[in-house]
């Protein structure tokens, strides 16, 4: 396979560091690697595959001569620099929320809608909770048709970055919270991102809009309640899905077990169901607790967990880039 010149933007952050870990694990074909971050991280030494690299300050000239840029440096940085990288001929995979709802920018999960990468050289990585939910949802949609979705998330503190992880550690020591509005060691917090006028949070609106966009179903009824929980890493999502046709649970099990990126964990008697400890460090989504919804015709209840830093961010982006490399799209 051809080798590529790769930039990692936000290389010193939690997701940026995981970009590097996943690039190494997947043996991504790298000819040259450049690590970029803000001026305060300039000169920082970072190890990658046994070599030491020194972080450079991100500027408009950083992308000259490169093929691929993986961004995880926040929405403002992406809005400023991702179009510059694209204009210089790079394929850009951006992990921020800056481009997710732009109709011209594909929002991609490789197992679901990889073909959308052909639409633009700038590709958006979805929200972490959306990524892990959309994979089993796509399997169900292909087999039975999805007509309605309700999400309830149980999101780990790593979804807030290092500040979230630090606040959990701090409050577990008995200290007062400095980042979350309540003591995350003692309660779940039903507030992720800012509140909108209708009472939904921005995180909930992201899940609603991104689900519709990825599935190419702009009118799909979707609702969500997003909750931060005192777990270090790996989100959980409880899903109520209304299907277009009747189904049996063995049929659903077979569909999910055969879908790329899914591990079926659905033996309740053996206590084998999705947990954050199972999915932590993994790039597949664990799906289980399958039940017929007693309150909805053709309704299905399920629970899934996924590593929000890996599959929910870094690994999904690298998987997009690797698939494009194999298809000679970079």
């Amino acid at each position: 396979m051809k080798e590529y010149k790769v930039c990692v933007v936000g290389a010193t952050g939690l997701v940026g560091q995981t970009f590097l870990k996943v690039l190494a694990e997947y043996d991504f074909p790298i000819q040259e690697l450049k690590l970029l971050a803000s001026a305060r991280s300039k000169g920082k030494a970072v190890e990658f595959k046994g070599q030491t690299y020194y972080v450079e300050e991100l500027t408009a000239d950083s992308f000259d001569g490169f093929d691929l840029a993986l961004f995880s440096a926040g929405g403002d940085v992406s809005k400023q620099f991702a179009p510059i990288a694209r204009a210089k001929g790079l394929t850009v995979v951006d992990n921020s929320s800056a481009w997710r709802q732009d109709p011209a920018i594909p929002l991609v999960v490789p197992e679901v809608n990889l073909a959308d990468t052909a639409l633009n050289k700038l590709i958006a990585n979805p929200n972490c909770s959306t990524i892990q939910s959309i994979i089993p949802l796509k399997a169900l949609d292909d087999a039975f048709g999805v007509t309605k979705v309700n999400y309830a998330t149980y999101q780990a503190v790593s979804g807030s970055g290092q500040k979230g992880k630090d606040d959990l550690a701090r409050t577990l020591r008995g200290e007062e919270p400095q980042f979350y509005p309540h003591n995350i060691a003692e309660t779940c917090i039903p507030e992720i991102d800012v509140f909108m006028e209708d009472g939904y949070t921005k995180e909930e609106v992201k899940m609603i809009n991104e689900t519709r966009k990825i599935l190419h179903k702009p009118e799909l009824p979707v609702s969500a309640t997003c909750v931060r929980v005192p777990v270090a890493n790996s989100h959980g999502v409880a899903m109520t899905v209304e299907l277009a046709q009747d189904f049996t649970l063995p049929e659903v099990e077979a569909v999910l077990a055969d879908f790329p990126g899914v591990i079926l964990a659905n033996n309740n008697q053996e206590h084998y169901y999705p947990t954050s400890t199972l999915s932590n460090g993994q790039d597949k989504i664990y799906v289980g607790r399958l039940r017929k919804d007693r309150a909805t015709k053709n309704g299905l209840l399920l629970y899934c967990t996924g590593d929000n830093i890996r599959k929910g961010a870094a690994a999904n982006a690298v998987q997009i880039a690797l698939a494009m490399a194999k298809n000679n799209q970079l």
Side-chain angles (χ1 to χ4, degrees), residues 194-202 204-205 208 222-225:
V194 297
F195 280 103
M196 313 296 283
E197 288 186 2
D198 62 358
Y200 280 79
T201 64
K202 194 172 180 181
E204 292 158 354
V205 174
I208 292 167
V222 185
S223 61
T225 300

Side-chain angles (χ1 to χ4, degrees), residues 10 41 44 54 66 79 115 168 182 231 245 260 298 300 326 330:
S41 295
K44 183 176 180 179
Y54 294 94
F66 278 73
K79 286 178 182 177
L168 177 59
H182 300 281
V231 171
Q245 55 186 278
N298 297 338
L300 175 70
K326 290 177 178 178
L330 294 183

Side-chain angles (χ1 to χ4, degrees), residues 35 38 56 59 68 73 109 113 120 176 206 225 286 292 326:
L35 306 185
S38 63
E56 301 178 30
T59 71
L68 170 68
V109 177
N113 63 328
N120 203 301
E176 291 298 310
K206 288 178 194 174
T225 300
Y286 285 75
K292 285 204 168 188
K326 290 177 178 178

